[in-house]
């Protein structure tokens, strides 16, 4: 699932291409939206909130989209070949000399701009929000600390705690905190986790490459994420990988068993079967 920085960058690029321009064509190829015609409206801007995007139009309407696992917005010039198949297209927004194509956007909804909060009001503070403040950081830390016995990995992924962290940053934050994803939240300083999550997201917000090590070379961008079976960059121990959780929210976790010792199974711990 895309991380908050990926959605943020998509929002910035869409805003640069569309804001202040009139829609010459607007197709919403979603079963609930096919009868809506936005042609002739002006795009007022594109606003990211965590992993959500709102494209705002004149007349008080907003198009809400969420990438889920495989969704994306692409920008094209006239005549450019689309990089994904036409059957995945869910939205086409055309202005002069630019096309914004929404692929595999399973969550697409047209709402009054005044009611955007209905879709994102449950989210915690947005780590990349333009209104981020010390108060927002403190709120996110309180949200994280509210359930001290909860496993750290799922807590970091909970968008109600703070919006923007995905599986990549979950794994990297845990590593940099020297904490197992299965450790209880009480084992770390929540304020440190919030500061670190925002720092990593912010470092990658304006470019598509996602590095948490400060390096962009192939295979050198991450500490543990997607490095199962490879040596830890700190101590050389083999990186472990396992599924954390047993429902639809289950995610793959990566960790170094030496740098991030896992609590005993009486408190928490990974499954016996590891990949």
């Amino acid at each position: 699932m895309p991380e908050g920085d990926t959605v943020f960058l998509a929002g910035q690029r869409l805003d640069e291409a569309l804001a202040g321009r009139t829609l010459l064509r607007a197709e919403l190829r979603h079963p609930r939206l096919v009868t809506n015609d936005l042609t002739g409206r002006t795009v007022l801007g594109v606003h990211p909130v965590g992993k959500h995007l709102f494209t705002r139009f004149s007349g008080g309407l907003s198009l809400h989209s969420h990438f889920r696992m495989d969704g994306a917005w692409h920008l094209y010039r006239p005549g450019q070949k689309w990089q994904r198949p036409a059957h995945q297209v869910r939205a086409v927004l055309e202005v002069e000399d630019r096309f914004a194509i929404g692929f595999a956007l399973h969550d697409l909804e047209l709402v009054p701009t005044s009611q955007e909060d209905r879709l994102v009001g449950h989210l915690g503070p947005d780590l990349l929000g333009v209104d981020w403040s010390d108060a927002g950081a403190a709120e996110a830390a309180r949200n994280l600390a509210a359930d001290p016995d909860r496993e750290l990995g799922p807590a970091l992924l909970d968008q109600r705690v703070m919006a923007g962290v995905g599986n990549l940053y979950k794994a990297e934050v845990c590593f940099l905190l020297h904490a197992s994803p299965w450790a209880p939240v009480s084992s770390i300083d929540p304020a440190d986790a919030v500061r670190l999550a925002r720092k990593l997201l912010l470092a990658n917000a304006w470019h598509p490459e996602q590095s948490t090590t400060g390096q962009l070379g192939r295979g050198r961008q991450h500490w543990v994420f997607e490095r199962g079976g490879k040596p830890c960059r700190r101590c050389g121990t083999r990186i472990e990988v396992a599924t954390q959780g047993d429902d639809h929210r289950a995610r793959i976790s990566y960790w170094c068993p030496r740098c991030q010792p896992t609590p005993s199974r009486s408190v928490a711990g990974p499954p016996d079967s590891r990949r």
Side-chain angles (χ1 to χ4, degrees), residues 7 49 103 105 117 170 182 202 208:
V7 178
V49 181
F103 293 97
L105 298 173
D117 196 58
K170 175 207 76 175
W182 283 267
L202 199 58

Side-chain angles (χ1 to χ4, degrees), residues 1 9-10 14 20 30-31 63 84-85 110 119 123 125 137 143 153-155 165 177 203 207 215 226 246 258 274:
M1 182 177 292
L9 182 60
L14 286 169
H30 189 284
L63 181 65
R84 294 177 65 166
L110 201 59
L119 299 174
L123 299 178
N143 292 344
V165 174
L177 291 174
H207 51 78
Q215 302 183 58
E226 292 188 340
D246 56 5
R258 182 175 181 182
R274 298 178 180 176

Side-chain angles (χ1 to χ4, degrees), residues 175-237:
F175 177 81
L176 293 170
L177 291 174
H178 301 274
S180 164
W182 283 267
V185 169
S186 60
S187 67
I188 57 100
D189 182 339
D192 285 345
V194 173
R195 282 193 295 270
L196 185 54
R198 174 167 161 79
K199 177 182 178 180
L200 295 179
L201 281 162
L202 199 58
N204 295 304
W206 295 97
H207 51 78
E209 300 83 10
Q210 293 170 307
S211 172
T212 55
T213 63
Q215 302 183 58
L216 294 176
R218 183 181 177 90
R220 299 163 62 188
Q221 302 99 318
H222 308 137
W223 294 101
V224 293
F225 180 71
E226 292 188 340
R227 298 193 67 246
K230 298 179 180 178
C232 174
R233 298 189 187 280
R234 277 182 176 158
C235 70
T237 302

Side-chain angles (χ1 to χ4, degrees), residues 9-213:
L9 182 60
Q12 297 305 311
R13 289 180 169 176
L14 286 169
D15 187 77
E16 291 173 2
L18 303 178
R21 309 184 75 180
T22 300
L23 290 173
L24 304 178
R25 173 186 172 196
E27 295 181 13
L28 302 179
R29 303 179 185 179
H30 189 284
R32 295 194 306 269
L33 303 178
V34 291
T35 60
N36 292 276
D37 186 5
L38 301 174
T39 302
R41 292 181 187 263
T42 300
V43 180
L44 302 182
V46 182
H47 180 57
V49 181
K51 298 184 180 185
H52 301 253
L53 275 181
F54 289 98
T55 304
R56 295 168 176 167
F57 309 104
S58 58
L61 282 179
S62 294
L63 181 65
H64 167 257
S65 56
H66 192 292
F67 289 6
R68 294 296 173 188
M69 295 299 293
D70 55 350
W73 280 97
H74 290 187
L75 286 168
Y76 296 99
R77 296 285 184 183
Q80 275 188 303
K81 183 179 180 180
W82 295 355
Q83 296 177 10
R84 294 177 65 166
H87 72 263
Q88 292 185 6
V89 174
R90 295 295 176 268
V92 178
L93 303 179
E94 179 186 355
V95 297
E96 187 177 0
D97 295 329
R98 298 304 293 270
F99 290 86
I101 311 296
F103 293 97
L105 298 173
H106 310 292
D107 290 355
L108 203 61
E109 188 168 352
L110 201 59
V111 298
T113 301
S114 60
Q115 295 181 23
E116 288 179 357
D117 196 58
R118 175 169 60 84
L119 299 174
V120 295
H122 64 288
L123 299 178
D126 181 1
L127 289 164
L128 291 177
V130 295
D131 58 349
W132 181 262
S133 64
D134 290 344
E139 180 185 348
R142 287 194 301 272
N143 292 344
L144 188 58
D147 188 351
D149 295 329
R150 189 179 188 185
E151 292 179 350
L152 179 59
L156 291 172
L157 287 174
D158 190 341
Q159 302 300 293
R160 298 169 299 179
V161 171
M162 52 185 168
V165 174
N167 212 38
L168 186 162
Y169 291 109
K170 175 207 76 175
E172 301 294 278
V173 167
C174 287
F175 177 81
L176 293 170
L177 291 174
H178 301 274
S180 164
W182 283 267
V185 169
S186 60
S187 67
I188 57 100
D189 182 339
D192 285 345
V194 173
R195 282 193 295 270
L196 185 54
R198 174 167 161 79
K199 177 182 178 180
L200 295 179
L201 281 162
L202 199 58
N204 295 304
W206 295 97
H207 51 78
E209 300 83 10
Q210 293 170 307
S211 172
T212 55
T213 63

